[in-house]
Amino acid sequence: MIQLPVLNNLDTAEDPLATLVAREVPLDQRRPLPMSREEMEARGWDEIDIVFVTGDAYIDHPSFATAILGRVLEAAGFRVGIVSQPDWQNAKDWQRFGRPRLFFAISAGNMDSMINHYTANRKVRNDDAYSPGGRIGLRPDRATLAYCQRSRQAYKGVPIIAGGVEASLRRLAHYDYWSDKVRRSILLDAKPDLVVFGMGEDIILEIARRLEAGESVKDLRALRGVAYAMGASETPPEDALTIPSYEAVCADKHTFAEATKLTHNETNPYNARRLVQWHDRQAVVVNPPRFPISEAAMDTIYALPYTRQPHPSYREPIPAFDMIKDSVTIMRGCFGGCTFCSITAHQGRIIQSRSQDSILQEVRDMTRGESFKGVISDIGGPTANMYQMKCTKPEVEAICRRQSCVHPTICKLLGTDHGPLIQLMKDTRETPGIKKVLVASGIRMDLARRSPEYMRELTQHHVGGLLKVAPEHTDAKVLNLMRKPSGDDFERFSEQFLAESKKVGKKQHIVPYYIASHPGSDLHAMIDLALFLKRTGYRPDQVQDFIPAPMDVATAMFYAEIDPFTKKPVHIARHLRDRKLQRALMQYFKPENYFEVRRALQQAGRTDLIGGGCDCLIASKPPKEAIEKRRKKANAQLVEGKYVHTIPGSKSAASKKKKGKGKGKQKQSRHEPGPGYRPDTRKARNK
């Protein structure tokens, strides 16, 4: 059996994290990284080596990238400062620590800023989970661009390293849902010196050490896990695979789909090739991904002295922290390869797990926290039950280009043993001070059903009454496009879960999550889903609406209207009015959705589902609530100056400001009311 490399680069097998030591610091003596000059000087520092600029509030918890990367650099002896949610209208916040000695590290935050700001209907979200008080408006749209620009303005010549989900998934030409066009690589728009894609602990440490040793940013271009833009006079590496240019993918949707296929075929770090994409006369180069980090490195990273709290300067609760403060990350990566999910593209397909000793030590540390109540809210990762699972044939893994290890069937070479996870769950709940250990991460149902012992362990000890799972749909064609198991898989899992719960005398329920408007999903598919929900008694409280995120395979389907891998046509619910009907069908039981459901059934020719029959979704006569809702909407449309919602930056908003105030075109703030558009216009009525 061969041994595949971990944590490697192109030139050496040396592990940048191998020399890190996690110092043991009592919880009450731990300090967050400085966010102000006063905090910097209190540490006896006269300058900062690396300044992190992030669109999220700074939470010193190992569930947040800024905290992890900052602590890794601190453990290596570097001085790190945090600029969290700065005022991007000027460069003052970028200058609070003085000129950074090595570089600016730029990130839009834990999410792409456009997904963070806008719903699938392109409406402004009401809250931001990563901001104090859940307030919106504390980061700009396309935050990476603004942050890189201010970094250059603050101190010329300081290297700019961009990373995080936004930069990572926009490193090549990509479809942008909010502007409804293909945008250039973020390297050409934001102009950072390098983009680090994927998880970045090892590479950011290597970048820091090599810059400190006197190397230039150009000397770092050979590193795995980085992308960079070349000058017009430079020649890209000869060993690179050239994918269709920006101009080509803009001109032809089928070419865009082909570029997506080529990109996703080069995601296995053991055989991925370097990519080149031309943008006019400039080449964007994307090196192969980093190799996965070792278990020892994972243990060191999670043993660093995090305070596990938001920075003390915050006076309002941060929703994202409240959700994960008592959770434990046991692994990263996902081999599911779902086409609508960015986890595999960002964290990688290879599972990287912590040792059980490391996880149990973190649990023991949590029990010493004053606010800890004895309940671990989640023990998992991107998926709850992939812990320590890997390919059993490394020599095959080294050449494999399969997009998913579990679709269309579970690979026969995939190790699916739940034994280590079962033992970890038992040891965790038996730790002194622990009352309950819950599993809130998504369960991969097809894997879970392979282990009756895991199902018993899960149902007997680790479900707090409700278990969240994500079957996503019931239509076979849609599920195939998603790379999800068949609908029968969910039904068999549900039967097994309920049977195991009954054996231990517990009344527990499953909460399934479904997606509306995913590529391939038409009204007929959604009607079948609604009928399934009625037959089984599930009534979703929330509806997930498909959002085309940058770089996802499903996004290429949405834009090109074909499957990038088969080139077969795919039905797309492109218009907002069509998406509205699909959402309503998923919640057919809500009286206020009556007229939308009726319209959907009429359009699909399924009026047989309107009436009093046992299979009918809605009655023949509308309920009072539906009539009242329609009356209120009609009245609102007749009132002059009454607006339903605002589209930031829209032409109508700008024109009304100009007409009303005489100040010309102005940028509209997301967190302040604006003129919006009139709901009684023809365009609004059509929606």
Side-chain angles (χ1 to χ4, degrees), residues 299-313:
D299 290 354
T300 300
I301 289 167
Y302 284 89
L304 295 172
Y306 306 96
T307 64
R308 299 184 69 91
Q309 295 292 325
H311 190 274
S313 63

Side-chain angles (χ1 to χ4, degrees), residues 653-669 672-675:
S655 63
K656 285 190 174 297
K657 280 195 172 186
K658 184 175 182 179
K659 182 178 179 180
K661 297 185 179 180
K663 294 184 180 181
K665 186 176 181 180
Q666 299 179 8
K667 184 175 181 180
Q668 182 178 327
S669 171
E672 296 179 356

Side-chain angles (χ1 to χ4, degrees), residues 626-638:
I627 296 174
E628 182 62 25
K629 178 186 176 183
R630 189 166 67 171
R631 181 183 294 116
K632 287 182 179 180
K633 182 178 180 180
N635 289 339
Q637 291 176 344
L638 295 175

Side-chain angles (χ1 to χ4, degrees), residues 539-580:
R539 292 196 166 194
D541 291 330
Q542 297 178 331
V543 174
Q544 295 183 92
D545 211 344
F546 171 70
I547 299 180
M551 199 175 175
D552 287 353
V553 174
T555 301
M557 294 180 193
F558 179 88
Y559 175 66
E561 300 187 23
I562 63 171
D563 183 336
F565 289 86
T566 66
K567 301 301 188 292
K568 293 181 179 179
V570 176
H571 172 82
I572 301 298
R574 187 171 299 279
H575 299 291
L576 295 182
R577 59 179 176 269
D578 297 328
R579 298 166 72 90
K580 184 177 181 180

Side-chain angles (χ1 to χ4, degrees), residues 10 193-194 210 216-224 226 228-231 234 274 285 287:
L10 289 178
D193 293 287
L194 295 174
R210 290 177 64 169
S216 69
V217 177
K218 282 192 174 182
D219 295 329
L220 307 177
R221 286 182 170 182
L223 289 172
R224 279 179 169 265
V226 304
Y228 57 93
M230 306 192 76
E234 293 183 282
R274 184 182 283 111
V285 180
N287 288 342

Side-chain angles (χ1 to χ4, degrees), residues 586-655:
M586 200 180 296
Q587 294 180 317
Y588 68 91
F589 49 85
K590 288 193 172 184
E592 58 268 29
N593 288 340
Y594 177 86
F595 289 109
E596 285 80 10
V597 175
R598 188 174 72 177
R599 190 180 311 128
L601 294 174
Q602 290 171 342
Q603 286 186 17
R606 295 300 307 273
T607 54
D608 59 301
L609 299 178
I610 302 174
C614 60
D615 290 331
C616 291
L617 293 178
I618 56 174
S620 56
K621 293 184 179 180
K624 292 181 180 180
E625 295 90 340
I627 296 174
E628 182 62 25
K629 178 186 176 183
R630 189 166 67 171
R631 181 183 294 116
K632 287 182 179 180
K633 182 178 180 180
N635 289 339
Q637 291 176 344
L638 295 175
V639 177
E640 180 66 21
K642 185 74 175 180
Y643 307 107
V644 290
H645 62 79
T646 297
I647 298 179
S650 65
K651 291 183 180 179
S652 59
S655 63

Side-chain angles (χ1 to χ4, degrees), residues 9-31:
N9 60 47
L10 289 178
D11 304 316
T12 174
E14 181 181 343
D15 183 343
L17 298 172
T19 58
L20 284 188
V21 176
R23 295 185 302 109
E24 291 189 13
V25 181
L27 197 59
D28 59 350
Q29 296 180 22
R30 298 179 183 181
R31 294 183 295 175

